[in-house]
Amino acid sequence: MKYIINDVRPNDNINEKEYFGFPIDPVLEAEQKLASDRTASVAYFSMEYGLAPSVYHTFKGKDPVDPRNIINSHEVFSNLQTMDSYHYLQVHKLLDMPIYSGGLGVLAGDTLKSCADLGISLVGIGILWSRGYFKQKFWFLGGGQFPEELAWDPNSYPGLVPTDKMVKVDLGKESVILKIWKYFVYSYDLKKVIPLILLDSNIPENKEYFRQLTGRLYRSDNAWWKAVQRMILGIGGIKALDALGYKIDLYHLNEGHAAFAFLERAEGLPKDELKKLEDRFAYTCHTPVEAGHDRFAMKDLKELLSDGKMKLLKELAAEGKRKETANLTLLCMAAAGHANAVAQKHGEVTRIQFPEFKEKIKSITNGVHTYTWLSDPVGALLKKYKKEIGDWENDPTLLANVAKLKADADFRKDLWQAHNENKSSLQEMLPYWMMKGEVFTMAWARRIANYKRPSLALQDPERLLHMARTIGPIQIIFAGKAHPADDLGMTHMDEMLKKIASMEGDRKYIRLIFLENYDTYFGKVLSNCVDVWLNNPLPPFEASGTSGMKAILNGVVQLSTLDGWVVEAADKGIGKIFGYVPPEGHIGTENDLRMAEDSEKLYQDLEELAKQYYKTVYDRDFNNSPWIDMMINCIATSAYFSTHRMVREYQEKIWS
Ligand SMILES: *Cc1c(COP(=O)(O)O)cnc(C)c1O
């Protein structure tokens, strides 16, 4: 049998016509462009990718999928504890390739998808995490989370194929061999693709210990481990591009994890060549938290990196009085000719943190991939009104035209109907927990991190109860994982589960649900199917945030603090904005989360929203409902927060 795709061994799922049920021509075309000198191509490096194939462009393979790649159920922790112990939330879905932990990965996945839609010649580089991030289980008795090993099978994962290429990365006296896999990200119309290459150390050529290097994402046991994972991505990534024969014009580092890629390319170059190389590197910074920047002791890296790389590192990344620390953010800022933050506000914060690179740091606000995160009912509605909106399926930024439909009585009624269809699918997903369609429903779902203040809405259960009794019942759904080494995150988790359990007696008025094992599948269902999306990070620590963008696309009203992307949408009538705002030019610390004052403000706005919602439900006067106005504003605003707009900005401001 012959190779159809370069370097990919013959496979039952690949033939002259098809790649796992999708047309193969776009794959061959993309490979050709990447190998050609005539096309300008970008290599995009990211530690994680959230591709959500369970909800978008699911490949069809001929072989049975290993049961470890299928999810059948999730545990539920609610204030209906008798249900929790007898029932699971039943699903039957493909496990979303577990090579991401949160928003950074989802953004990388969405970026590849929009690049495919826009026909850009780009290749993604990442790591095949053989043990994923981790699996979250509840500790029902004590309330809390414990991590479980996650197992999946790359060999039977639809769309993922091994190549016959390997590369070697030197780690001081030793070295690790990396196998290269390929996955292809298709455009909306299946006419174009972006290849994603994934590096894997879990092969018999490596000793047992090294096979675990690409095991768990963000394993943080020690500095050696962290440094080696970053070397695999950066140095291994460059070597893989060369081994596959891709001709790359621009290297884009999504966050500082891949910083060593620059050292690999730059080592041994004369000064003038080095300057030219800088122009071919771009860096996107996602972290407004000082502690979030990767730092290593120079003496530790000396054990791992060649003398040539150490020399460059000392010139570009040295920090502290005695220059004993290497800061990878500094390395990226100094080495990359182009740098950007991920929202306007985040740009301001980053320029304060890195004044010496102030001129270089641009702001390109994040987005989400419209077609992935759009629900079926709202999608069908927008298709029905295509004449008024324009060909948004070709260009999602046309969704801004939804604003023109504000006075259209049919559209308003249809939108309410579509939203209620979404809500019924949420009810169907949780049959035993007796969710009600016409009950005011809010969700908070994201990584459990301290600055995101996951437990803010649960600060005062009495207050919530009073609200539910006087205005109308309320359902709140939570989901999120705390990194097992994040003690503060685990504390929030404990507090939330304990508060939820403590409200068992109030279940008639308030239904509180925490869903186990938040993933991109839930990321879609929850952001699509509730009335209000809650986003309450402590400003200015949310660089951008993207889950709210998924929600507005589906007409889900926002209740948010003034941070990240929301700053740019706060005057668009998409919901209520509340809480602490830091003084101009001031960053502050995460030590004081302002829980008491901000939860009070949250409750005030939540009451207002609940009143408006219930008025729409009872009056059914859709033409005069401010709630429906907000829903329409949300969809119109989502036009801007699309990765299509974002990728076009990258093209104009950086890649070209
Ligand atoms: C969208 C998404 C995120 C990002 O959420 P933020 O609100 O930006 O933190 C994280 N995890 C999953 C699974 C998602 O789908």
Side-chain angles (χ1 to χ4, degrees):
M1 268 199 350
K2 74 175 203 313
Y3 284 27
I4 294 178
I5 303 173
N6 290 342
D7 314 310
V8 174
R9 291 230 169 96
N11 177 316
D12 282 354
N13 296 293
I14 306 174
N15 59 44
E16 252 85 16
K17 286 212 180 74
E18 287 192 345
Y19 179 83
F20 288 86
F22 288 12
I24 195 147
D25 287 345
V27 171
L28 306 180
E29 215 172 288
E31 290 276 338
Q32 233 166 31
K33 278 191 182 167
L34 283 166
S36 155
D37 285 319
R38 284 192 305 266
T39 317
S41 297
V42 178
Y44 182 90
F45 288 71
S46 181
M47 196 69 146
E48 39 171 313
Y49 288 90
L51 292 157
S54 69
V55 295
Y56 183 74
H57 281 357
T58 314
F59 285 117
K60 287 166 235 19
K62 289 205 172 78
D63 322 314
V65 173
D66 187 289
R68 289 173 296 176
N69 294 349
I70 302 288
I71 295 185
N72 291 306
S73 64
H74 287 260
E75 281 180 346
V76 176
F77 189 105
S78 75
N79 64 337
L80 220 70
Q81 299 232 301
T82 40
M83 290 303 152
D84 303 348
S85 34
Y86 287 110
H87 298 286
Y88 290 107
L89 178 159
Q90 307 277 352
V91 283
H92 184 75
K93 66 183 192 197
L94 182 67
L95 167 79
D96 283 328
M97 216 194 312
I99 56 171
Y100 69 97
S101 81
L104 180 71
V106 175
L107 178 83
D110 282 3
T111 302
L112 298 194
K113 290 175 195 169
S114 274
C115 285
D117 293 334
L118 295 168
I120 293 169
S121 181
L122 179 141
V123 55
I125 294 131
I127 292 180
L128 190 89
W129 299 105
S130 62
R131 295 197 291 160
Y133 184 44
F134 71 93
K135 200 167 162 206
Q136 178 188 50
K137 301 299 273 180
F138 292 135
W139 188 244
F140 278 95
L141 293 178
Q145 156 199 296
F146 68 95
E148 245 185 23
E149 278 297 323
L150 183 146
W152 68 295
D153 174 34
N155 287 300
S156 73
Y157 196 91
L160 184 61
V161 287
T163 70
D164 58 3
K165 288 275 186 313
M166 297 201 198
V167 291
K168 193 176 91 183
V169 172
D170 290 329
L171 309 171
K173 293 189 191 73
E174 298 182 280
S175 57
V176 57
I177 314 272
L178 302 166
K179 169 171 158 176
I180 303 174
W181 297 70
K182 282 187 183 176
Y183 187 82
F184 295 94
V185 179
Y186 275 77
S187 66
Y188 181 62
D189 60 8
L190 305 183
K191 289 186 178 147
K192 288 158 278 180
V193 306
I194 296 292
L196 169 62
I197 61 183
L198 296 170
L199 306 171
D200 176 15
S201 75
N202 187 20
I203 48 172
E205 285 82 348
N206 289 319
K207 61 179 179 184
E208 191 52 39
Y209 191 56
F210 280 14
R211 292 182 70 156
Q212 297 307 323
L213 287 173
T214 58
R216 221 172 66 219
L217 169 61
Y218 297 132
R219 183 167 167 178
S220 54
D221 314 32
N222 57 46
W224 183 86
W225 201 277
K226 282 176 74 174
V228 170
Q229 289 190 333
R230 281 148 186 75
M231 289 171 67
I232 288 178
L233 179 64
I235 301 171
I238 293 284
K239 292 191 165 192
L241 291 168
D242 290 347
L244 296 167
Y246 295 154
K247 307 274 181 344
I248 301 302
D249 296 270
L250 190 121
Y251 301 90
H252 192 121
L253 312 178
N254 184 44
E255 195 53 301
H257 305 126
F260 295 132
F262 181 80
L263 304 183
E264 176 66 14
R265 268 284 169 267
E267 189 173 3
L269 288 185
K271 266 256 156 8
D272 54 327
E273 295 274 326
L274 206 59
K275 264 271 151 295
K276 272 191 245 156
L277 183 67
E278 288 180 5
D279 225 35
R280 293 174 55 202
F281 271 78
Y283 162 55
T284 300
C285 177
H286 290 263
T287 317
V289 187
E290 256 302 305
H293 303 306
D294 278 332
R295 289 181 172 86
F296 296 96
M298 288 284 184
K299 68 171 183 3
D300 288 346
L301 293 181
K302 201 163 171 284
E303 313 259 297
L304 290 164
L305 295 169
S306 64
D307 294 346
K309 289 194 177 73
M310 283 308 291
K311 183 167 166 281
L312 284 163
L313 201 65
K314 281 180 191 144
E315 280 164 26
L316 298 166
E319 197 181 51
K321 255 202 231 95
R322 295 212 298 248
K323 307 216 176 292
E324 284 167 344
T325 305
N327 178 336
L328 295 196
T329 303
L330 213 54
L331 173 59
C332 292
M333 285 281 182
H338 319 269
N340 76 286
V342 292
Q344 296 298 327
K345 172 93 192 173
H346 179 227
E348 289 166 28
V349 171
T350 312
R351 285 184 281 266
I352 295 174
Q353 285 176 339
F354 296 94
E356 64 276 38
F357 302 111
K358 167 158 114 223
E359 306 299 323
K360 195 193 274 189
I361 302 166
K362 300 186 178 88
S363 295
I364 299 180
T365 304
N366 282 165
V368 293
H369 182 250
T370 309
Y371 312 125
T372 299
W373 304 107
L374 184 62
S375 63
D376 289 343
V378 175
L381 169 77
L382 297 174
K383 276 184 197 157
K384 182 172 163 191
Y385 287 84
K386 207 162 164 176
K387 216 165 81 228
E388 289 81 358
I389 300 169
D391 188 7
W392 62 269
E393 283 183 278
N394 194 33
D395 180 1
T397 58
L398 289 171
L399 288 178
N401 290 331
V402 167
K404 290 188 205 153
L405 289 161
K406 226 178 209 170
D408 187 321
D410 289 333
F411 180 77
R412 296 176 75 94
K413 200 165 97 244
D414 289 350
L415 175 57
W416 184 253
Q417 171 68 29
H419 177 65
N420 281 298
E421 265 178 58
N422 273 333
K423 277 182 88 176
S424 13
S425 47
L426 190 65
Q427 270 171 275
E428 280 158 28
M429 195 175 83
L430 289 157
Y432 300 109
W433 287 268
M434 290 169 274
M435 304 291 287
K436 295 209 177 73
E438 303 249 293
V439 168
F440 180 62
T441 305
M442 178 167 79
W444 184 101
R446 49 183 60 81
R447 272 188 315 114
I448 305 271
N450 192 44
Y451 76 86
K452 289 178 184 265
R453 302 191 290 188
S455 55
L456 193 67
L458 293 173
Q459 286 309 295
D460 188 353
E462 283 305 312
R463 176 74 190 265
L464 270 180
L465 184 61
H466 175 76
M467 180 189 134
R469 279 197 161 126
T470 51
I471 301 168
I474 172 167
Q475 302 170 153
I476 310 180
I477 306 179
F478 297 93
K481 296 175 177 177
H483 187 285
D486 175 6
D487 291 338
L488 283 171
M490 298 288 268
T491 310
H492 280 281
M493 193 72 210
D494 290 357
E495 181 186 347
M496 291 168 89
L497 297 190
K498 284 195 181 106
K499 287 246 168 81
I500 290 172
S502 79
M503 293 187 76
E504 172 120 44
D506 309 318
R507 59 188 183 271
K508 207 169 129 215
Y509 300 98
I510 303 181
R511 183 64 35 84
L512 297 171
I513 289 183
F514 200 117
L515 300 178
E516 165 214 62
N517 236 357
Y518 183 51
D519 59 5
T520 33
Y521 177 85
F522 280 149
K524 175 153 178 164
V525 176
L526 294 180
S527 65
N528 289 187
C529 301
V530 296
D531 301 305
V532 171
W533 190 255
L534 175 64
N535 175 54
N536 47 223
L538 176 74
F541 294 107
E542 187 69 84
S544 164
T546 52
S547 59
M549 301 176 187
K550 303 168 190 166
I552 55 171
L553 172 62
N554 292 282
V556 170
V557 168
Q558 304 293 298
L559 174 55
S560 177
T561 48
L562 193 64
D563 205 8
W565 74 276
V566 177
V567 176
E568 290 157 64
D571 61 349
K572 304 282 191 281
I574 59 171
K576 294 245 178 226
I577 312 293
F578 71 97
Y580 170 75
V581 179
E584 231 4 77
H586 184 80
I587 298 177
T589 74
E590 274 185 80
N591 297 341
D592 180 7
L593 288 183
R594 299 167 197 272
M595 295 296 267
E597 59 185 270
D598 272 9
S599 61
E600 172 56 31
K601 294 193 178 114
L602 184 160
Y603 293 130
Q604 284 168 11
D605 280 349
L606 189 60
E607 280 176 7
E608 286 298 310
L609 287 176
K611 280 182 199 156
Q612 283 185 20
Y613 170 83
Y614 277 116
K615 191 160 166 38
T616 303
V617 169
Y618 293 131
D619 296 354
R620 305 193 78 76
D621 180 5
F622 300 130
N623 290 336
N624 298 307
S625 158
W627 189 269
I628 307 239
D629 286 341
M630 285 195 290
M631 291 177 73
I632 294 175
N633 295 340
C634 282
I635 301 179
T637 304
S638 77
Y640 182 78
F641 297 98
S642 159
T643 35
H644 273 55
R645 187 269 312 147
M646 182 196 84
V647 164
R648 282 186 192 128
E649 266 192 68
Y650 276 112
Q651 267 191 303
E652 281 161 27
K653 298 185 178 162
I654 294 181
W655 295 346
S656 59

